[in-house]
Amino acid sequence: MRSKVLAGILVPAAVIGGAGAYAVADAYDVAPGWITADPVPVAPAPFLSPLPVAAATVAASPVSLVSADAPRPSADYVQSLAEAVRADSRTGPSTNVSVVDVATGEVLADVDADDVQVPASSAKLLTAVSAIADLGPDYRMTTTVTWEPAGRVVTLVAGGDMMLAAEEGHGGAGADANGHAGIADLADAVALAAPELLTGGPVTIAVDDTAFEGPAVNPDWPQYALDNGYVAGATGLAVDVARTGDDQYSQRYPDPSIAAGDHLATALSERGATIAEGVTRSPSPSTASAVASVQSAPLSDVAHLLLRDSDNTIAEVVARVHALETGRPTTPAGAAQATVAGLDGIGAPVGGLVLYDGAGFSERNRVSPEHLTGAITAALAAEPTQDLLDWLPVGGLEGTVGSRYADTSAAGVLRAKTGSLTGVTALAGTVQTADGRLLAFAILADGMPYGPVAPRVAFDEMVTALADCGCEP
């Protein structure tokens, strides 16, 4: 399990240019947008890099410290907050809200909470919860190398880990799940297990990602998401989530698996092997033997990364690994089936839930606030997912909520997943009241004619009011 370090881990702001740029804002939930003929009801704040919040001033409150005996908020008061956020001029009539008392499951607010709508990246919460519910928090993805001496073929076999390091992996000593295992670790193990490949004739390097049948590029993803580097094909094998550079928003390799094979070819060459030109794609030969393998970080750590950074690629590949491990096709449809089934398995509501991807990029996804609060409460009650609050980013400290809630009572006591697409703003998670009661909430708004800055402020005011709440019935 990941031990949360309360430091200011902030996602940097990015200025996204070009036509259609706002529509891709959900790639990392960082880009405000204002593509509209109508004026924004309130002037948006300048889009600057988020200011850090000192950890010493923001004390997180783990769910284990929240007492079920803490005073329950007045349902009438919470309902009034929910109705007010819909009536707010910064949101609109498509704003739907659910607030649930985690300890009892009591509904404290319901504003068309069962109305399904476009969830944007809040769908990643469902992806993560469902995968861990079925696979467990300690599940690790395994990347294998096989060696076929007769044909002198080394095959890099995909197991879902698209966060491999080009060099040695940090093995858990890094800041997050990215780079836990490394290509250099594989190369060292291969050279040790099969020293004959370092001498003699050329070695052919192949990649085998047949376990991930695809299509790697989800057909529901917009082309500009790939063009701008917001997502890579979910091939199940990549170095640094297929980024071509060091920046978080770098372009992605068009073929992540082949690029990973290139890294292995370089690493083996550095260790003395003669490498045949060009990495091929083919299944591992039936006569080959596994000579090396590495494992990813635990799935709980992977979930924290994908929720903290709103990483589309990791969310999509986690959904497909989930499908693979539960005997379903590793296609977008199979991944969606796995996610719905996993949620149903822990008692989360799934009626009316429709998913087309794991990342929330599809505008055909249909999720209700009730689906989100239901998933949260079910997850906290189920053994595999009971540490959900460790995986959600902390308000004022981490990820896409790292620059929000500074100097408010919600800082440190809110954990939430954001979401934004053109005309869509979402926020779902938990907040602890001033009386110590833990509430699950979800606020979704779609069909709006303006960007996310104004509705985000309205949403934040509501959850801050919940954090302030010393509002016994």
Side-chain angles (χ1 to χ4, degrees), residues 78-132:
V78 177
Q79 180 70 22
S80 71
L81 292 177
E83 292 174 356
V85 79
R86 173 188 274 189
D88 196 301
S89 63
R90 296 167 294 184
T91 59
S94 71
T95 304
N96 300 321
V97 186
S98 173
V99 183
V100 176
D101 177 58
V102 170
T104 64
E106 179 185 359
V107 175
L108 299 179
D110 181 338
V111 177
D112 290 330
D114 62 350
D115 185 16
V116 294
Q117 54 201 118
V118 182
S121 263
S122 65
K124 291 183 175 74
L125 176 60
L126 303 180
T127 300
V129 164
S130 180
I132 294 179

Side-chain angles (χ1 to χ4, degrees), residues 30 42 85 88 126 149 152 155 176 200 236 251 258 279 310 335 343 352 369 375 442 455 465:
V30 295
V42 294
V85 79
D88 196 301
L126 303 180
R152 297 188 63 77
T155 304
D176 57 35
Q251 291 290 316
I258 293 293
V279 174
S310 199
L343 292 168

Side-chain angles (χ1 to χ4, degrees), residues 1-4 136-138 298 300-301 383-384 386-387 390-391:
M1 300 293 177
R2 186 181 62 89
S3 176
K4 186 178 290 296
D138 297 323
S300 56
D301 289 356
E383 183 176 354
Q386 63 185 352
D387 291 329
D390 280 345
W391 314 329

Side-chain angles (χ1 to χ4, degrees), residues 367-385:
V367 176
S368 71
E370 190 176 76
H371 286 135
L372 291 163
T373 55
I376 292 166
T377 55
L380 291 172
E383 183 176 354
T385 50

Side-chain angles (χ1 to χ4, degrees), residues 284-328:
S284 178
S286 59
T287 54
S289 300
V291 291
S293 65
V294 292
Q295 291 190 316
S296 72
L299 188 56
S300 56
D301 289 356
V302 175
H304 177 242
L305 183 152
L306 80 85
L307 293 171
R308 183 196 70 195
D309 293 354
S310 199
D311 194 298
N312 297 297
T313 308
I314 299 306
E316 184 74 6
V317 80
V318 163
R320 298 200 194 187
V321 168
H322 186 187
L324 175 68
E325 295 289 7
T326 54
R328 296 177 173 86

Side-chain angles (χ1 to χ4, degrees), residues 26 29 96 117-123 367 372 400-401 404-405 416-421 423-429 441-446 448 452 455-456 459-460:
D26 196 47
D29 285 332
N96 300 321
Q117 54 201 118
V118 182
S121 263
S122 65
V367 176
L372 291 163
T400 58
V401 292
R404 294 161 71 169
Y405 311 106
K417 180 69 198 79
T418 54
S420 58
L421 287 168
V424 180
T425 302
L427 187 69
F441 69 88
I443 317 169
L444 301 180
D446 63 5
M448 296 182 297
R456 281 179 183 174
F459 289 9
D460 290 352

